Amino acid sequence: MAHGEVDVYGALKGGVGKTRIAVLAALRQALVAGEDVHLVDGDRVSQTASDWRKDYERATGREFPVTVTRHPFDDIDELISDLRGKHDRVIADIGGGDPAVFTAALTYAQRLVVPIGADPSEMRRLPSTWKAAQLAAADSAVGGFNAWVLLSRTDHGTTLPREYRELLTSGKNPETGDALPVYPLLKAEMRKRVAYQRAYGTVPGEFYDVPSVLEEIGVIKTGAEAA
Ligand SMILES: Nc1ncnc2c1ncn2[C@@H]1O[C@H](COP(=O)(O)OP(=O)(O)O)[C@@H](O)[C@H]1O
Ligand SMILES: [Mg+2]
């Protein structure tokens, strides 16, 4: 069998929406695309993805539609290497303060999505996350990965999403004129929605912004999936 694809949702920052997009992407691919998906919870600080599955199974008595393994350790690359031989897709939710787990998780990855809020304190952590990703790309066992930034929890009642989109893609600071790095920012956003908060511990019937993210990163191959 060909190797499964490996998608990492990660950032060296907690509370940005990694687990929301990782779990919903896994459920969407399992339930709508019919894939055999294995979710790896690689967050040493919290364990929301594993708890999500447990709480669902406890509350409903039914089996969660994707398998979840918690493994927030430096040898996560070995686990992912093994799992990609057995599943259509491995999705890794990589969190918080551990650059070693983050870079190891990218060893076999085809994709990295870095969610980030349109907010100064969250943006501060983006350069270090990006640097860690570049180091990981140099060590890739599969010829590297595509990486994107995803605006998360955006509130379009404010101008922040537009300002941060500009800041991330224009190459210069609009106030000082100083040069800034240009990030590959997804057009799709995870908007701020109560439905995402309520999704925890459930298998939702609707995936909101997730399919547009998956289309843009090439997980959903438009036209091909139905065939
Ligand atoms: N798009 C969103 N809209 C509203 N709330 C969100 C959204 N994404 C995440 N949240 C909330 O933010 C918190 C952190 O989300 P989570 O996915 O657990 O982040 P992380 O895994 O990066 O720590 C949770 O309380 C979650 O309900
Ligand atoms: Mg999380």
Side-chain angles (χ1 to χ4, degrees):
M1 159 180 162
H3 290 302
E5 296 183 21
V6 178
D7 307 328
V8 175
Y9 296 88
L12 298 178
K13 171 96 183 70
V16 294
K18 297 179 299 293
T19 299
R20 254 0 84 153
I21 178 83
V23 174
L24 294 177
L27 288 172
R28 194 270 168 203
Q29 288 310 104
L31 296 172
V32 181
E35 292 181 349
D36 171 11
V37 182
H38 196 113
L39 180 63
V40 180
D41 180 351
D43 194 325
R44 192 170 282 176
V45 184
S46 55
Q47 45 184 294
T48 317
S50 324
D51 289 344
W52 186 318
R53 176 190 69 87
K54 275 187 214 147
D55 285 348
Y56 173 81
E57 293 188 346
R58 243 179 246 145
T60 64
R62 287 197 295 269
E63 200 178 328
F64 200 59
V66 303
T67 38
V68 184
T69 301
R70 177 164 154 79
H71 194 89
F73 308 113
D74 295 5
D75 62 354
I76 193 169
D77 53 326
E78 291 170 28
L79 174 69
I80 290 173
S81 170
D82 179 46
L83 290 174
R84 79 184 186 121
K86 300 176 180 159
H87 301 273
D88 299 325
R89 186 172 307 281
V90 179
I91 291 183
D93 173 7
I94 307 297
D98 204 326
V101 176
F102 180 79
T103 51
L106 288 165
T107 306
Y108 293 92
Q110 272 75 57
R111 301 179 184 85
L112 167 66
V113 174
V114 180
I116 194 99
D119 164 289
S121 67
E122 298 199 10
M123 287 298 157
R124 283 189 63 232
R125 303 295 281 278
L126 188 55
S128 58
T129 298
W130 213 254
K131 199 168 286 175
Q134 280 166 340
L135 291 176
D139 278 345
S140 172
V142 293
F145 50 83
N146 286 119
W148 299 271
V149 174
L150 169 64
L151 284 181
S152 128
R153 292 159 298 137
T154 50
D155 176 359
H156 284 266
T158 77
T159 56
L160 282 169
R162 206 156 15 100
E163 285 168 33
Y164 277 87
R165 190 163 283 283
E166 173 80 9
L167 206 55
L168 287 164
T169 58
S170 69
K172 71 169 199 227
N173 186 318
E175 270 149 37
T176 63
D178 291 345
L180 285 177
V182 175
Y183 291 95
L185 181 63
L186 290 172
K187 287 190 194 73
E189 293 177 8
M190 291 290 279
R191 294 194 173 218
K192 184 171 184 174
R193 295 179 195 274
V194 176
Y196 289 131
Q197 294 173 273
R198 291 195 203 283
Y200 174 85
T202 75
V203 173
E206 157 96 56
F207 296 98
Y208 301 96
D209 307 299
V210 174
S212 57
V213 173
L214 295 178
E215 254 178 55
E216 212 177 331
I217 67 175
V219 168
I220 297 178
K221 287 152 189 95
T222 326
E225 193 178 89

